[in-house]
Amino acid sequence: MTIKAPKGTRDVLPAETPAWQYVEQKYRSVCARFNFQEIRIPTFEQTELFQRGVGDTTDIVQKEMYTFNDKGGRSMTLRPEGTAGVVRAYLENGLSSEPSPQKLYYILNNFRYEKMGKGRYREFNQMGCELFGSVESTADAEVISLLFLFFRELGLREINLKINSIGCPKCRPEYLELLRDYFRSHLNDLCDNCQDRFERNPMRILDCKDDAENAIVKNAPLQIDHLCPECQEHFDNLCNELDNLGFAYEIDGHIVRGLDYYTRTVFEFVSNNVGTQGTICGGGRYDGLIEELGGQATPAVGFALGVERLLMELNSQSVKLPSVVGPDIYLVSFPDTVNQAAKICFDLRTLNITAESNVTARSFKAQMKYADRIGAKYIVVLGEDELKSKMVKLKRMSDSREIKLRLADLANYIKEN
RNA sequence: GUGGAAUUAGCUCAGUUGGUUAGAGUGCCAGAUUGUGGCUCUGGAGGUCGUGGGUUCGAUUCCCAUAUUCCACCCCA
């Protein structure tokens, strides 16, 4: 093999697809009960959408985007995340004129040109939700409670919600000044990376793991302690609503998030097990993004959940996930009966039974072996005698028990057992 | 982006102090006389020893580069 999958991409093979389908189906089911509707959007967008939507100062836009010029010379980018595209679709299609709030969910792949690591891929999958049109903290609680129900139904344990508030355009500038003033006198005590961040985005210093044990960072003022009255009330309300719903959470003033568009609420679901890639889901409120992208000022809140990481976490917690299941029945045939077997097999499939008949030149014994290997629940041998008498012996593979029945009764028997 | 480790059959891995046709287990395919799988036995297919250079009479083995994967940082899903 000379051609390999590109770096950072991976194949999901048949052994794994049942687990993927199960998780996606469960997600759709929970979203449906919250009355979120699915939206599907293009895989690539005009580059400018992400520059403006995700934010020019973010790592994503500065160095991680898959950007190319199409044949018309337009700059296009493979989406690095879902929200910007969903907002674009929301505006472009006039969903802002549909009943508000609009509640949308998506399951899609994203692309970021990053260095590889466990749980981090260049093409990765996210399941997300966006709720447009409510400033109320009840909307924040709504999307968070959707996640709690989803995790609960999957049987996921030991996953912790961390929440924070990073203020609004009213209180953040004041806080940033306060933060810069604080760090200015301690610049030499910070790591190189953080010295860069000082000018660009001083809030990120709080998130630095190098300096996590650094007393300077530990004691730095946090936005959550310097909220304006409106933001404070919003955050307090959210906490009350989460308490009311019975959800455990931890207030963590160091959660900052990597995207520029967040305001007020930010949150993460973090795993204890997966180590450095412990963030399974991240989200928050983005009250300024829609206006930033040319729409009328519209508050919104949402999240994105990493499917690969979720599956890793489910596996590390030994949560049972579906695996490949064999067909209900395999029809063994002979060269002179193979065509009639194929016809009977087709009829069974029409009746909603998972069936397989021989499509090789295999011997009788080899067919038996194959039926066993693929996990067929039953086999039936279709030879001249059976076809003539229309009576067959149905063999259950698990215990080798055979029962005799009319060929015409085969479908019903299988359905009922 | 930084540091470290790994790369030999589909999979998990041995191995050659540099020397003719490179191994095991498992999986795959087939056989062990008549139409019944799982156990056992036998046989077969499958590898330019990640790729490209270099040293050498000779490299899968030594050296360099490069790619990919993993681990720890960074960041995030």
Side-chain angles (χ1 to χ4, degrees):
Chain A
M1 272 294 284
T2 49
I3 299 177
K4 299 202 286 190
K7 180 174 181 160
T9 66
R10 56 184 287 233
D11 303 308
V12 179
L13 302 175
E16 283 181 285
T17 44
W20 281 72
Q21 288 170 357
Y22 170 74
V23 164
E24 288 168 3
Q25 181 201 341
K26 179 66 76 184
Y27 183 68
R28 289 178 194 283
S29 156
V30 171
C31 285
R33 276 174 273 159
F34 277 74
N35 199 35
F36 276 69
Q37 308 295 325
E38 185 180 5
I39 185 168
R40 302 190 186 199
I41 57 171
T43 301
F44 59 91
E45 301 267 4
Q46 293 182 33
T47 300
E48 191 189 350
L49 173 66
F50 301 116
Q51 288 170 337
R52 282 168 50 190
V54 178
D56 271 327
T57 68
T58 59
D59 281 356
I60 292 176
V61 170
Q62 288 191 335
K63 48 192 185 191
E64 296 174 0
M65 294 208 301
Y66 276 94
T67 297
F68 61 96
N69 287 323
D70 69 10
K71 297 198 181 205
R74 293 168 285 251
S75 180
M76 296 293 165
T77 295
L78 264 35
R79 62 170 168 245
E81 55 105 50
T83 302
V86 171
V87 169
R88 195 227 80 237
Y90 170 85
L91 293 173
E92 183 170 341
N93 298 288
L95 297 186
S96 51
S97 301
E98 299 284 318
S100 176
Q102 280 286 298
K103 296 159 68 169
L104 305 172
Y105 82 88
Y106 57 79
I107 299 175
L108 45 74
N109 51 350
N110 298 300
F111 305 85
R112 290 183 201 171
Y113 193 89
E114 285 193 273
K115 171 136 186 201
M116 289 287 305
K118 192 185 175 81
R120 181 160 65 220
Y121 302 96
R122 289 187 171 179
E123 179 181 8
F124 60 100
N125 292 272
Q126 288 186 329
M127 306 189 292
C129 276
E130 314 290 354
L131 190 158
F132 298 107
S134 173
V135 268
E136 299 301 317
S137 57
T138 44
D140 307 46
E142 168 105 333
V143 299
I144 289 172
S145 63
L146 188 155
L147 286 161
F148 267 102
L149 184 58
F150 178 56
F151 293 143
R152 182 194 296 167
E153 292 197 356
L154 283 175
L156 196 64
R157 294 276 170 266
E158 299 165 49
I159 180 162
N160 301 315
L161 171 62
K162 295 184 175 186
I163 62 172
N164 187 25
S165 176
I166 58 171
C168 67
K170 224 187 287 175
C171 50
R172 197 179 307 162
E174 262 178 59
Y175 165 71
L176 289 182
E177 268 324 296
L178 184 71
L179 194 59
R180 279 210 183 83
D181 288 345
Y182 173 83
F183 280 129
R184 203 180 315 275
S185 48
H186 302 294
L187 262 186
N188 292 335
D189 299 323
L190 298 175
C191 69
D192 293 349
N193 220 324
C194 286
Q195 302 203 13
D196 290 341
R197 291 166 168 155
F198 176 76
E199 284 305 332
R200 271 198 317 161
N201 196 343
M203 272 204 300
R204 294 284 174 76
I205 297 174
L206 303 176
D207 211 21
C208 178
K209 278 161 192 141
D210 264 4
D211 287 332
E213 295 307 310
N214 191 329
I216 309 292
V217 173
K218 268 188 177 168
N219 299 324
L222 298 174
Q223 174 81 65
I224 194 161
D225 298 320
H226 298 84
L227 296 174
C228 62
E230 293 82 0
C231 286
Q232 187 64 53
E233 191 191 349
H234 191 273
F235 188 72
D236 292 343
N237 287 342
L238 174 59
C239 291
N240 286 335
E241 283 143 17
L242 294 176
D243 291 338
N244 174 53
L245 288 162
F247 300 145
Y249 59 91
E250 177 190 334
I251 297 171
D252 183 345
H254 291 265
I255 291 180
V256 172
R257 313 283 315 140
L259 289 76
D260 279 359
Y261 50 62
Y262 286 114
T263 54
R264 291 188 168 169
T265 310
V266 290
F267 63 87
E268 290 182 0
F269 278 87
V270 183
S271 138
N272 294 330
N273 297 315
V274 183
T276 46
Q277 309 301 344
T279 304
I280 289 181
C281 172
R285 178 163 280 283
Y286 47 98
D287 290 342
L289 177 61
I290 292 161
E291 190 174 19
E292 172 67 30
L293 291 176
Q296 288 209 325
T298 305
V301 59
F303 65 82
L305 190 154
V307 182
E308 286 84 356
R309 287 185 190 177
L310 175 64
L311 285 166
M312 278 170 58
E313 183 62 21
L314 287 166
N315 283 325
S316 82
Q317 290 189 25
S318 302
V319 173
K320 260 203 238 140
L321 294 170
S323 52
V324 177
V325 293
D328 296 322
I329 186 167
Y330 182 89
L331 311 187
V332 180
S333 61
F334 303 91
D336 51 352
T337 61
V338 66
N339 289 333
Q340 285 145 292
K343 172 73 168 91
I344 291 165
C345 190
F346 185 82
D347 291 343
L348 290 172
R349 290 162 172 166
T350 304
L351 294 169
N352 228 11
I353 286 167
T354 311
E356 188 167 342
S357 63
N358 183 28
V359 295
T360 67
R362 281 204 174 107
S363 67
F364 180 91
K365 201 181 186 98
Q367 290 181 58
M368 286 301 296
K369 205 173 241 178
Y370 175 75
D372 180 48
R373 288 292 289 126
I374 63 174
K377 291 180 195 66
Y378 293 97
I379 65 105
V380 71
V381 178
L382 296 175
E384 302 259 355
D385 294 348
E386 287 83 359
L387 293 171
K388 202 180 288 174
S389 64
K390 302 210 186 298
M391 291 293 292
V392 295
K393 277 187 291 181
L394 184 67
K395 178 174 187 175
R396 183 159 64 189
M397 295 297 269
S398 58
D399 59 4
S400 299
R401 251 193 77 204
E402 283 191 324
I403 62 157
K404 226 171 171 175
L405 74 173
R406 295 188 321 185
L407 187 52
D409 295 334
L410 197 52
N412 279 336
Y413 182 87
I414 291 169
K415 276 188 190 168
E416 286 162 16
N417 289 275

